[in-house]
Amino acid sequence: MTPSRDISRLIEIMAALRTPVTGCPWDLEQDFVTIAPYTIEEAYEVVDAIARGDLDDLREELGDLLLQVVYHAQMASEQNAFDFGDVVEAITRKMIRRHPHVFADKDGNLASSHVKEVWDRIKAEEKAERAARRPPQDAPAHKSLLSGVKAGQPALTRAMELQRKASTVGFDWNDPRAVLQKIREEADEIEAALDRNDKQELAEETGDLMFALVNLARHVDADPEAALRVTNAKFERRFAYIERTLEAQGRTLEQAFLAEMDALWNAAKGEETAPEKRNQARG
């Protein structure tokens, strides 16, 4: 089978991988649940390629993400639920419906300031229609303000959305310093849980602390996901400095003491902050 620019070839490849007996044993073992983590991972790979400005890598990662869509559609097709064509039809119908200012039959020009308002209204209508199609037993017993926050989002992003939604009815802190106080309280609760050596309680209290940190990020207009990515990159740079320095000394990480690595970490930190201080001095 040869490569192709036609999406039908990718669909054929996926079908071949999922064909009993002749297909790939690993692919045949998978289901929606086991593939879902890979779908999330590929979406993050797309974001990473964009952050690095690597368009060649972005092309590859978008292909990997597209494969995830084809994979899920193939599994659904095997259950006679829907196929890839149904996915395409659903999204094209949705995009046409949500952009009446672009695809209207008559002059449907809409000011840019009103586009989001129309988008949100149509999304709400679509959500109500989906809810109406569900069997009565699937309907939630209680309609919560937070029901519209999607469950499939990364935990940090969803925490931000839950807090933002609750804030619309006044359930919120008025001052970032009040959030900071809450963070200190959560840290104290973790310390108490450490004294009790209760693993389940420690996990719960750690989650509470992370939720409070997301709240602080929201109050200072910082995206917690983006902020953590920056910190991850900072950690990688400084750790690489430790590795390079030890390697120049003919030593490995395993041969170094924690105090030495700590000192090298501080040296790396100093090198990063020194240019900033020099620039401030010039200013």
Side-chain angles (χ1 to χ4, degrees):
M1 190 175 283
T2 57
S4 171
R5 297 175 66 90
D6 191 337
I7 187 65
S8 62
R9 180 57 54 84
L10 180 58
I11 295 172
E12 290 171 2
I13 290 172
M14 193 68 253
L17 292 173
R18 292 278 299 180
T19 300
V21 182
T22 59
C24 170
W26 186 88
D27 286 293
L28 285 165
E29 289 177 354
Q30 307 311 309
D31 56 30
F32 293 114
V33 174
T34 60
I35 288 299
Y38 295 100
T39 307
I40 295 172
E41 181 180 339
E42 295 302 347
Y44 277 123
E45 294 291 343
V46 168
V47 173
D48 178 63
I50 292 171
R52 290 184 284 104
D54 190 334
L55 295 184
D56 286 336
D57 203 15
L58 178 59
R59 179 192 61 230
E60 298 295 325
E61 297 301 346
L62 286 171
D64 291 344
L65 185 58
L66 177 59
L67 175 64
Q68 295 298 308
V69 178
V70 172
Y71 208 137
H72 286 286
Q74 173 61 33
M75 292 187 291
S77 177
E78 294 164 6
Q79 298 179 22
N80 296 317
F82 60 83
D83 60 18
F84 185 80
D86 294 321
V87 174
V88 175
E89 182 184 14
I91 189 59
T92 52
R93 180 188 299 113
K94 183 183 296 183
M95 295 307 291
I96 292 170
R97 178 176 180 176
R98 292 184 180 180
H99 295 83
H101 53 293
V102 177
F103 302 111
D105 292 335
K106 55 182 180 178
D107 184 13
N109 293 332
L110 191 67
S112 59
S113 59
H114 296 152
V115 170
K116 187 177 186 305
E117 178 184 334
V118 172
W119 176 280
D120 290 341
R121 175 178 57 77
I122 295 174
K123 276 181 66 177
E125 291 173 358
E126 291 170 349
K127 184 177 179 181
E129 290 171 3
R130 287 197 301 272
R133 290 196 299 267
R134 293 194 193 103
Q137 61 270 23
D138 291 344
H142 168 65
K143 176 65 175 178
S144 170
L145 174 69
L146 305 179
S147 299
V149 181
K150 296 180 180 178
Q153 297 180 92
L156 286 179
T157 303
R158 188 161 191 264
M160 175 83 91
E161 290 302 314
L162 289 169
Q163 294 166 3
R164 188 174 288 146
K165 199 79 167 177
S167 72
T168 62
V169 293
F171 191 74
D172 200 0
W173 303 102
N174 296 321
D175 185 345
R177 290 178 178 80
V179 186
L180 195 58
Q181 180 57 40
K182 181 64 175 175
I183 290 172
R184 294 190 181 102
E185 291 176 11
E186 297 296 352
D188 289 342
E189 290 180 11
I190 289 176
E191 188 170 14
L194 281 169
D195 292 339
R196 290 188 287 273
N197 196 27
D198 187 324
K199 289 187 177 180
Q200 182 176 348
E201 185 183 4
L202 279 167
E204 291 178 4
E205 296 298 349
T206 300
D208 291 346
L209 176 60
M210 294 173 71
F211 193 83
L213 288 168
V214 170
N215 218 336
L216 178 63
R218 182 173 61 87
H219 276 81
V220 298
D221 294 324
D223 178 349
E225 197 79 34
L228 188 55
R229 280 199 296 270
V230 170
T231 298
N232 287 342
K234 186 193 304 180
F235 182 88
E236 289 177 296
R237 287 196 309 272
R238 293 176 183 176
F239 195 80
Y241 178 91
I242 296 173
E243 291 176 311
R244 290 194 305 271
T245 304
L246 289 173
E247 185 178 1
Q249 298 172 359
R251 304 168 66 204
T252 65
L253 289 167
E254 291 77 12
Q255 293 170 328
F257 294 105
L258 177 58
E260 293 178 276
M261 290 189 283
D262 219 16
L264 289 173
W265 174 275
N266 290 330
K269 184 177 179 180
E271 285 195 0
E272 289 182 357
T273 57
E276 296 177 9
K277 291 180 179 179
R278 284 196 295 270
N279 291 334
Q280 291 173 356
R282 293 193 191 101

